[in-house]
Amino acid sequence: MDFTRRETVALGGAAVLTFVLPFRANAATEDLINEFTGGAELADSGVELDAPEIAENGNTVPISVSAPGASAIMVLAAGNPTPPVATFNFGPLAASQTASTRIRLAGTQDVIAIAKLEDGSFARSAKNVKVTIGGCGG
Amino acid sequence: MKFKAMTAVVALAISAPLVFAGGADDDTLAIDGEEMISKTAAPAHMEETGIDTIISGWHFREDDTQSMQTDSFDNPGMIFVDQAMDMWSTVEGEAGESCASCHGDVSTFEGLTTKMPKVNEDGELVVMEDIINNCRTERMQADAWKWSGNDMQSMVALIGNQSLGMPMDVAIDGPAAEYWKQGKEMYYTRYGQLELSCANCHEQNYGNYIRADHLSQGQINGFPTYRLKQAKLISKHNRFRGCIRDTRAETFAEGSDEFRALELYVASRGNGLSVETPAVRQ
Amino acid sequence: MASGVKPRVKVPSSASAGDAITIKTLISHPMESGQRKDGDGNTIPRSIINRFTCEFNGESVIDVKMEPAISTNPYFEFEATVPEAGEFVFTWYDDDGSVYNENKAISV
């Protein structure tokens, strides 16, 4: 286990990259999903999540969710200091179970949508959004 | 161990985001269906710059940012235009006047923004903020608004929005010539520890990236601009200040004569582009 | 907070009975997340709109639970069914107890 100075620096850099690019939902996110679904299984289809591949500014990222027949859709940002974003509850006069909004993302991360479908089952969809950090501040 | 360590580094490097090629895009900017002039032939005075087409900053943004500007409801900057509309008819100050009591409908200011900044009867270069504060302190006898404050920039945006789609057309000759020359000199002056001039980024490198920022031509035809970063309307002088500060320089103040002159010169580089106020940027 | 909060709502003025219409809403609000610090290093307390509802003639269209991750000047777009002439009621609930309302009538 002899590291050269250069390797140590490289590994340090690798560790930082791993930290800022979380590809898996963290524990807090899992708990929130379980709370919403009661631990039910999550289907891969039934909910659509639309979000940009690259967000120019993490402060205002447009997203939209859609799940035909769903009673509710919860949106989570797994890499935010607090993952909950919003829960859309659709009433009897919703013409479609679709909604768009604009959200804050603390960095590059997965945005997750969980829908409670008409039959009581749950579906999950996720999208990785890259948040660029510009060189020019305000 | 050496092999493993380097493999880990290589694997992570591959999964890191790629850098994207630059340039302005070929989309068409239409706001509520009305097409804007967002690319056009450069004005004659730019001949020596090597730029033959002037391009709105809109063309350098990602699709999602672009689409927020194409619908006047989706544009978050329009909330502030709405707020300014309420202020327009609100009486303030000792004189008991509102904007509306002198000027009637705000639409009477259609076209004014295309001519700003301009030289007034006293030979002074004035920008929209000066005109507004002059009305407030002289005619309304109310307090002056802070340059980059929400009230001021909302009002600048409301008046600018009356000229939406009209091409910028500031005068650079006659009494404006001296101010224009001063502004031009500033544009090519390298400021700060980084020794960067406006031209280094916005004339010589537009379309390229500075870190993750996609450099535009630095046009100001969409100001005040709703900037997603601050989630509010940003004044021209605030943006100038931000740019100069980023060169690690002591910057000029918002509302300084230096920035008035620079505003005139930068505005003249956009002569021919539609007013997009309030534009949406990153 | 409650100073300078202004709602904007876009609803067509008329529709056919049973039509699906698109509604857009925008409200000016800083949505202070509770994550930021001021110049002295003190946490700026959270102050957000935490719920948004849209009802038509007393029946729910959408009811949104909002968290600090919703952007400044919250925006929503969704679709509603219009069974008859009536009125949409839009309500935003602020952390500080303020409630902001906007109504829009629609004819059929």
Side-chain angles (χ1 to χ4, degrees), chain A residues 7 52 56 59 102 135-136, chain B residues 2 61-62 65 74 213 229:
Chain A
E7 281 172 357
E56 277 189 291
N59 225 348
R102 296 165 182 165
C136 306
Chain B
K2 184 173 185 175
R61 305 280 52 96
E62 295 285 340
T65 309
D74 291 355
D213 260 328
K229 181 187 167 81

Side-chain angles (χ1 to χ4, degrees), chain B residues 110-124:
Chain B
E110 182 181 332
L112 176 61
T113 294
T114 66
K115 304 284 184 192
M116 297 302 293
K118 66 177 181 186
V119 176
N120 70 9
E121 293 146 359
D122 301 327
E124 301 160 344

Side-chain angles (χ1 to χ4, degrees), chain B residues 147-218:
Chain B
W147 198 274
S148 286
N150 197 44
D151 289 340
M152 175 60 92
Q153 292 309 316
S154 299
M155 189 56 75
V156 175
L158 171 66
I159 295 170
N161 192 246
Q162 307 309 308
S163 305
L164 185 72
M166 297 172 72
M168 282 300 296
D169 182 25
V170 294
I172 64 172
D173 51 1
E178 273 306 303
Y179 296 109
W180 184 80
K181 243 177 78 183
Q182 185 196 348
K184 182 176 178 182
E185 200 175 306
M186 287 179 71
Y187 193 87
Y188 289 99
T189 301
R190 290 173 177 267
Y191 289 101
Q193 290 178 319
L194 299 182
E195 297 191 6
L196 287 170
S197 70
C198 306
N200 289 148
C201 285
H202 297 292
E203 180 172 295
Q204 294 152 11
N205 278 296
Y206 70 88
N208 292 333
Y209 282 82
I210 185 164
R211 289 182 65 198
D213 260 328
H214 195 191
L215 290 169
S216 70
Q217 287 185 346

Side-chain angles (χ1 to χ4, degrees), chain B residues 50-122:
Chain B
I51 293 178
D52 52 11
T53 305
I54 50 173
I55 307 167
S56 160
W58 185 83
H59 286 286
F60 297 89
R61 305 280 52 96
E62 295 285 340
D63 290 352
D64 289 288
T65 309
Q66 288 185 330
S67 73
M68 274 190 223
Q69 200 188 320
T70 57
D71 179 302
S72 60
F73 189 90
D74 291 355
N75 182 342
M78 291 300 289
I79 316 177
F80 302 100
V81 170
D82 264 13
Q83 284 182 350
M85 201 64 204
D86 293 343
M87 290 189 277
W88 179 261
S89 44
T90 304
V91 173
E92 264 193 88
E94 301 288 314
E97 305 276 7
S98 68
C99 307
S101 51
C102 282
H103 301 288
D105 198 289
V106 66
S107 64
T108 55
F109 283 148
E110 182 181 332
L112 176 61
T113 294
T114 66
K115 304 284 184 192
M116 297 302 293
K118 66 177 181 186
V119 176
N120 70 9
E121 293 146 359
D122 301 327

Side-chain angles (χ1 to χ4, degrees), chain A residues 28-96:
Chain A
T29 308
E30 303 288 350
D31 290 348
L32 286 161
I33 294 173
N34 282 331
E35 199 181 308
F36 184 67
T37 62
E41 225 165 275
L42 296 168
D44 286 336
S45 65
V47 58
E48 299 260 333
L49 168 69
D50 192 20
E53 216 169 294
I54 302 165
E56 277 189 291
N57 196 292
N59 225 348
T60 314
V61 182
I63 62 151
S64 60
V65 289
S66 178
S71 57
I73 304 176
M74 177 173 72
V75 180
L76 301 169
N80 275 3
T82 55
V85 174
T87 304
F88 300 94
N89 297 289
F90 298 99
L93 288 183
S96 66

